[in-house]
Structure formats: C-alpha cells, structure tokens
Amino acid sequence: MNALSPDRQGNMAGAKSHDLKLRDLSKKYDQHGEEYAVHDMNLDVVKGEFVSFLGPSGSGKTTTLMMIAGFESLTSGDIEIDGRSIAGFPPEKRNIGMVFQNYALFPKMTVANNIGFPLKMRGISGNERTQAVERLLNLVDLPGYGHRYPRQLSGGQQQRVALARALVFGPNILLLDEPMGALDRKLREQLQMELKKLQRSLGITTIYVTHDQEEAMVLSDRIVIMDQGKVQQVGTPSEVYYQPANSFAAKFLGVANMIAGEVVRESRAGGIGKAAVAGAELHFYSANAVPKGAKVDLFLRPECIALDGHGDGADKLEGKIESAIFVGEATRVTVRLSDGTLMNVTNSNSSGFVEFAVGNDVTLSWDRGRALALTG
Amino acid sequence: MTAALFYPLSLMVWRSFSDPELGFQHYLRLAEQPVYLRITLTTLEVSAIVTLACLLIGYPVAYAASNRGPRMRLILLATVMMPFWTSLLVRTYAFMVILGQGGPFTSLFDILAWQEPPRLIYNRFGAILGMIYVMLPFMVMTIFAVTSEIDANYRKAARSLGAGPWRAFTDVYLPQSYPGITGGVLLVFIVSIGFYVTPALLGGRKETFIAQVIQLNVQEIINWGFAAGLAVVLLIVTMTLLLVYDRLLGHESVMRPRGVGSE
Ligand SMILES: Nc1ncnc2c1ncn2[C@@H]1O[C@H](COP(=O)(O)OP(=O)(O)OP(=O)(O)O)[C@@H](O)[C@H]1O
Ligand SMILES: [Mg+2]
C-alpha cells in the first residue's frame, strides 16, 4: 500500500506526483436552465503543483472541486489524472484526498480512528494501520492526540487532523475547500506556512479553494481567478497581480487604479500604444491588439506610481492630494485627477519619510509602458 | 413541575397498598393469578414487535426525508403527519372497516378464491398493525429530528476516503443517528406499553393489555386499589426496562446529556 512512509520526508515530487487536467469542464445544476455554475473550464495542473482557485462567492470554486472529487456529475467535459479520465469513477475509487471547509471529522470516532479510517476502508489493519496513524500524527505535529475526540480539539488542531486523514492513504491529488475559513488571522498565517511546507515536502499535486487573495498569493504556484463560473485568468501570483488579464482580475486582487481613456495610437499585441486620459496622452502596454478609438482602462498598481515627477521618459499626470496616511513602511496617498478619478498611491519610505500636505498639487509619474491597457 | 408529577404518582402507589384496606392483597393477587403475568408478557411482547416494526419502517422514511431533497422531505413528512389530523378513535375505527369482514382486504381474498379469508383484526395481528400505524409518526419524527441535522459532508468525506455508499452509511452515518434511534425506540415502546384504545378495539380477547385491565378496574369493577397496583407494576416494568436499555447502550444514553461522562 502507499501509506506514507517515514523516510519520505524529503522532496518526493515527481516520483509519486500526478498531474490533473480539466477539459472544457461545464456544470449546470438545472439541466433545462441557462445558468452555468462552471463554464468551459480548462486547466492543466502539473505534477506537484499548488494551484489555488480564487474568486468571489458563487463563482463555481466548490462546484469544480466537487466534480474533481466525484460528488457532482459533469454536464460536459472531462477530468484526467495522468492522462486517464476519472469522470466515470465514484468518489471512493478516485484516490483523492479532500479537506472540507468544516473539516467533517467523524464526531463518534477518536482522532486515531478518523485518521485510520481510509486505511480501514482499504483493508489495512493492525500494526500497519496504527503505525501509519502515528506517523501522520507526527507529520502534522499532533503526537499523542490519537485518543481524543474531534470536539476536544481546537479549530487549528481539527484542521490538521483533517489534513492527516486526507493524506494518510497516499492520495494522487489533494483538494482543500477553504480549510482556513473558520480560523483567526494569526493561526491562519501559521497553518498556511505549515501547509505549504508539508505540500512541498510531499510533492503532492494540490488544489486549494479560497476567496482570500492574500492566502492564495502566499500558498500558490499558480492562481486561477474565477468569476461567474468562468476562468478569468491563470498565472503565477506576480503575473495575476501585475499583469491582470481583465478589469475583474485587476480589481479582485489588491488595490487597482483604473483610468478610463480612448486609444489615440493603436497598439499591436504585446506592443506600446497611446491613450488620451484625463487631459493627457499616456503610453500603455497592451497584451492584445487595440485599434485607434477603442475605449480602454489604464491599470496601475499604487506602488508603481511616484509622486515626485521623476524621469524624462516617464508618463505624468497632475492631481491634488486628498489624503495621506502614514502606515510605517509607506505612506498611502490618494490623489484626485482633473477628470475626477481618484488614484491610490503607495509612497515607499525606504529612502526617508516625506510629508504630503493635503490640498497640494502633485505630479504622478511612472515608467513608460508600466500602465496596462485593459479592454475587458 | 416535579411536584405536579410526583403527587399523583405517590397517591397511586399509596392507594395500591391502602385501598380498600392496608396490606399487600393486590400484589398477592397479581402474583397468584397467572393471567396477570400473561397480560404483562403480552403487553411487552406486542410492544416490542411494534417498536421494532416502527424502527424498520421509520428509519428509511426519516433517512429519505433527511437526504432526498426538499420535495421528498415535504411529501414524506406530510404523509407521516397526516394521521394526526384525525382523532385516534376515528383512525382506529377506520382500521376496523378496512381490515374487517367485507372490507377491501377480505374482499380481495374472496376474489382470489381463498378458501377462508384470514382474519386481520380481533387478533394479535390486528392489534400490532393498528399500533404500528399509530406509533410510526413518533418514530419517524424522533429519528428525523436527529438525521436532518447530520451534515452531508460527513458522508462525502467518508466516500472520498475510500468508503463505498454502504460503508459510509454503516460506519459514519448510522452512528451519528443513534440518538434518534434510541429516542424513537424508547418513546414508541413506552407509549405502546401504556396503550389502551387500539389493542382494545383491534386486538382479540387474548391480546388484553395491562392498560385495559386497569381501565376495567377503574371504571367497571371500581377496584381502585387493584388498578393502582397494576399501574405500579406497569411503572416498575417500564422503569426497569429503561435502566437495562440505558446500561446496554452506554454513553449513547438519552437520559444523560450527550458528551457528559463519555470519555
Ligand atoms: N447543489 C446546488 N444546486 C443548485 N445550485 C448550486 C448548488 N451548489 C451550488 N450552486 C450554484 O452554483 C454556483 C456556484 O456555486 P459554488 O458553491 O461552486 O460557488 P463557490 O465559488 O464555491 O462560492 P463560495 O465562495 O460562496 O463557497 C452558485 O450560483 C450556486 O448558487
Ligand atoms: Mg464554496
């Protein structure tokens, strides 16, 4: 059997890892209705990868997870592990470990019996089972907790037991549905680190559902941004943060400045164009070709904007300071542009603190091509 | 509250020793005449059969009502509660019509050219059938109260961990529904023991229940002392069974709050 053995503490990525592919995956709960809970989803998760599904409530994250785990039927499409379709298998035949939002620890069983449950179902008994349970308890840092009942554990401990139970049988894939949802912030951060470390060392291909963007960034190799059942973007944390595919992705992650404008010089895909914006003409980078006259939003992260009007080649905009809040490592400044747009600027204090007086005129500037044109 | 319950109870116990004169005469009579032992055993036996039947029918109904969607829940619960809209007496008489001579069932047997249609009422079968019909809603509702609170994720978790549908049920779902089962069994059994109307009307002369004998002594023979003695015996039998049951089921007890003293 493939219960985790103690010598597998090192990186075993590759050796035992599996890849997961979602092919045009769709789900309608109401067969006759028009509404898709998940629509034409395509995703390749490589061996040992940690992928997060990030999106607002009702965007189809849980539904996708349930289809992978085998609890929801597919309306169309396919799911493959290592190139073989698993769509026809019942949940118990898929060998997928799952951690539920409320952990779903069996209340009438001790912690040891909870963790031993998947082994029992696989006909593993006696010493072998006891030892595997012990190993997993050590792995999640809960030695000696085997005799307790779930209700005698704290939320964080319950989560770790749920994780141990989902890992003990050596699953091909690990699925987690908002496992930190019920925990306070500090504990979350600690458990995130532990989970990440554990996942790395086991090299297990993992899908993690959350609607906490920070959590997704901390944990993931790649993030899948979902909205209304559709994938909005797939990318590494820095990709989705600095190169959002559309305005939904831009606004969903972090603070986004969006300035509405009209293209005055067209751009090919991956090229630089120019747009008329708030009384100025600014350069933009665009991933897609945009024709002259098209309406675009220019996107900029707050930390990409400088308030001292530096550089000759830089793009510039004039505005008035509306507020300035000192937060330690930086000052958060809001600036009102002539067309009324409110801009958020994070001014780093790394080279000394600068005082910003509310009501003063100020010049916003950034490197040419830093602004991204978003059409969707 | 306790006093309101306790006063009539102690009055009853006192009467069984003092009415019409002080002494153990009622209990001696109960012990000497085998008919009373037989009545007690009949009462217990029929009650046990009724309870078991209610459990076997009621559990799947409660399960379906808890797990098969809101429509199924509505249909099943409405059907189960329907009998409560009419009085017990009316329902029992309805049973007499349905099962009795010239009713649909005996007519069916006639059509099928049965030599002699079997008797469906005025015997043990009739009493049991009628009691099941009356007690089933109590069983269903008691179990449903527990099963409807069991999160569907438990079974999903069991399935994802490698349990087939049956193991997920027996190993995870069933243990979580035990409080409903114990509660339902207790309720149905105890109410059955004290049953009067249904066995009196649907049962035969041999299926006399303790409650009937008590009623006879109170209303017709006017022997209050003996009636009280019978009631005390009934009470003691019930309490003893309760304790045995509680002991057998250990910490799944309904008499002790959940979670206390279970570790
Ligand atoms: N069992 C169901 N029957 C019908 N519709 C459902 C069912 N489960 C989910 N839906 C619908 O499908 C859509 C996607 O739901 P889903 O639970 O996948 O969202 P989610 O991204 O997990 O949201 P949350 O962050 O709130 O958990 C929603 O519109 C939801 O109402
Ligand atoms: Mg969800």
Side-chain angles (χ1 to χ4, degrees):
Chain A
M1 258 333 269
N2 43 7
L4 300 169
S5 51
D7 51 0
R8 287 217 176 114
Q9 298 290 325
N11 193 340
M12 39 186 231
K16 222 172 96 24
S17 279
H18 303 266
D19 61 34
L20 173 73
K21 288 190 172 68
L22 308 184
R23 297 250 168 276
D24 300 320
L25 195 60
S26 291
K27 175 70 184 180
K28 273 200 263 186
Y29 280 104
D30 179 5
Q31 289 299 328
H32 312 292
E34 291 290 297
E35 212 171 308
Y36 282 94
V38 175
H39 201 154
D40 280 342
M41 183 157 178
N42 280 290
L43 182 68
D44 280 21
V45 184
V46 302
K47 289 179 173 153
E49 195 178 20
F50 194 121
V51 169
S52 288
F53 289 174
L54 179 65
S57 194
S59 55
K61 306 182 295 292
T62 299
T63 302
T64 309
L65 221 58
M66 288 301 165
M67 286 192 282
I68 298 171
F71 295 115
E72 288 293 351
S73 60
L74 318 187
T75 302
S76 61
D78 203 0
I79 301 170
E80 293 171 4
I81 292 182
D82 295 339
R84 279 197 305 271
S85 171
I86 57 163
F89 292 115
E92 65 269 22
K93 294 273 158 60
R94 295 191 180 194
N95 208 44
I96 289 176
M98 177 142 187
V99 176
F100 290 81
Q101 182 162 12
N102 55 3
Y103 314 134
L105 295 176
F106 307 138
K108 304 277 170 177
M109 291 183 204
T110 61
V111 165
N113 285 342
N114 263 283
I115 299 177
F117 185 83
L119 302 180
K120 188 176 168 193
M121 293 303 123
R122 286 162 174 78
I124 299 170
S125 56
N127 241 349
E128 201 183 341
R129 189 157 93 207
T130 319
Q131 282 170 9
V133 169
E134 282 303 310
R135 273 199 301 278
L136 262 295
L137 278 172
N138 285 327
L139 194 65
V140 296
D141 209 20
L142 286 172
Y145 279 72
H147 65 280
R148 296 221 194 172
Y149 281 87
R151 65 170 177 279
Q152 298 171 312
L153 301 178
S154 72
Q157 291 168 336
Q158 289 183 18
Q159 197 241 58
R160 283 188 261 175
V161 172
L163 188 60
R165 188 178 67 175
L167 288 172
V168 70
F169 57 97
N172 296 344
I173 309 274
L174 178 64
L175 307 177
L176 303 101
D177 192 0
E178 304 202 35
M180 312 277 186
L183 307 173
D184 66 58
R185 195 183 169 80
K186 228 175 141 159
L187 189 58
R188 273 172 101 111
E189 283 171 5
Q190 186 198 336
L191 289 172
Q192 283 167 13
M193 286 302 137
E194 286 176 15
L195 174 66
K196 183 74 191 159
K197 220 175 95 194
L198 194 63
Q199 189 269 340
R200 278 251 173 85
S201 72
L202 298 175
I204 186 168
T205 310
T206 302
I207 293 186
Y208 189 98
V209 163
T210 180
H211 51 230
D212 180 335
Q213 39 155 314
E214 211 172 308
E215 190 165 274
M217 300 237 237
V218 167
L219 289 169
S220 319
D221 297 318
R222 281 192 302 161
I223 296 175
V224 178
I225 296 187
M226 297 180 68
D227 187 40
Q228 297 182 0
K230 289 204 178 108
V231 173
Q232 304 295 320
Q233 188 172 11
V234 183
T236 64
S238 66
E239 276 168 6
V240 292
Y241 185 77
Y242 284 118
Q243 295 152 46
N246 53 35
S247 55
F248 176 84
K251 285 182 206 147
F252 193 73
L253 269 182
V255 179
N257 290 301
M258 308 277 267
I259 326 164
E262 195 184 310
V263 175
V264 293
R265 201 180 79 204
E266 65 176 32
S267 161
R268 58 186 168 76
I272 304 279
K274 235 176 173 186
V277 167
E281 289 199 351
L282 303 173
H283 294 92
F284 63 79
Y285 169 87
S286 179
N288 310 311
V290 280
K292 195 165 174 230
K295 300 269 183 232
V296 291
D297 280 317
L298 296 201
F299 158 86
L300 280 161
R301 289 290 177 201
E303 65 274 18
C304 298
I305 304 172
L307 287 172
D308 51 8
H310 78 295
D312 285 339
D315 281 319
K316 294 188 171 71
L317 271 179
E318 304 295 326
K320 233 183 199 29
I321 295 179
E322 279 219 344
S323 73
I325 298 161
F326 174 68
V327 292
E329 76 277 10
T331 306
R332 298 210 177 117
V333 184
T334 57
V335 176
R336 181 76 67 184
L337 302 182
S338 59
D339 72 344
T341 309
L342 198 62
M343 300 286 283
N344 292 288
V345 181
T346 304
N347 194 70
S348 167
N349 291 329
S350 57
S351 47
F353 173 63
V354 184
E355 184 93 45
F356 293 100
V358 172
N360 276 8
D361 288 331
V362 71
T363 304
L364 289 70
S365 66
W366 55 87
D367 296 337
R368 180 189 287 195
R370 202 66 197 259
L372 195 68
L374 299 177
T375 45
Chain B
M1 170 74 181
T2 318
L5 277 171
F6 205 70
Y7 175 70
L9 208 64
S10 39
L11 197 68
M12 182 184 78
V13 174
W14 172 241
R15 274 232 164 131
S16 70
F17 291 107
S18 66
D19 192 339
E21 61 205 46
L22 221 55
F24 291 98
Q25 70 275 25
H26 297 311
Y27 291 98
L28 285 174
R29 184 176 152 205
L30 278 172
E32 276 164 9
Q33 300 195 3
V35 61
Y36 295 110
L37 178 66
R38 212 198 67 214
I39 289 171
T40 309
L41 287 181
T42 304
T43 306
L44 294 178
E45 199 182 317
V46 170
S47 299
I49 293 170
V50 168
T51 306
L52 190 68
C54 282
L55 179 62
L56 293 179
I57 303 166
Y59 194 93
V61 174
Y63 179 92
S66 304
N67 296 295
R68 291 281 178 268
R71 256 178 72 103
M72 192 60 152
R73 168 175 304 205
L74 196 70
I75 293 169
L76 284 176
L77 294 188
T79 311
V80 164
M81 297 310 283
M82 202 105 73
F84 285 118
W85 299 343
T86 48
S87 86
L88 175 60
L89 211 56
V90 171
R91 273 180 283 149
T92 310
Y93 278 120
F95 244 85
M96 292 168 75
V97 172
I98 293 168
L99 297 177
Q101 289 298 319
F105 282 99
T106 50
S107 308
L108 190 69
F109 281 119
D110 269 342
I111 292 165
L112 294 174
W114 206 279
Q115 294 297 326
E116 197 182 340
R119 285 190 62 161
L120 301 175
I121 53 169
Y122 308 127
N123 56 16
R124 178 167 292 204
F125 180 80
I128 289 173
L129 208 61
M131 284 171 72
I132 291 173
Y133 173 71
V134 173
M135 295 314 297
L136 191 59
F138 294 101
M139 183 66 87
V140 171
M141 293 317 288
T142 314
I143 297 174
F144 176 76
V146 173
T147 52
S148 63
E149 296 292 315
I150 300 176
D151 195 329
N153 274 352
Y154 288 119
R155 242 170 329 145
K156 282 187 185 158
R159 294 290 298 276
S160 79
L161 295 168
W166 181 246
R167 286 307 289 274
F169 173 74
T170 57
D171 288 41
V172 172
Y173 192 90
L174 192 60
Q176 288 194 59
S177 66
Y178 282 159
I181 295 179
T182 42
V185 163
L186 266 184
L187 182 68
V188 170
F189 188 69
I190 290 172
V191 175
S192 293
I193 285 179
F195 233 145
Y196 166 69
V197 174
T198 309
L201 293 179
L202 292 177
R205 214 170 307 141
K206 277 192 276 175
E207 280 68 41
T208 310
F209 263 49
I210 296 183
Q212 286 168 255
V213 185
I214 296 175
Q215 193 265 356
L216 189 76
N217 278 282
V218 170
Q219 289 193 352
E220 283 166 38
I221 307 175
I222 323 281
N223 187 345
W224 285 74
F226 185 63
L230 272 168
V232 169
V233 169
L234 183 60
L235 188 69
I236 290 171
V237 168
T238 311
M239 293 300 285
T240 311
L241 286 170
L242 254 174
L243 287 174
V244 170
Y245 183 78
D246 188 53
R247 190 53 58 84
L248 285 180
L249 287 164
H251 61 88
E252 292 298 344
S253 171
V254 251
M255 299 173 80
R256 257 172 283 157
R258 248 200 292 179
V260 176
S262 55
E263 274 85 39

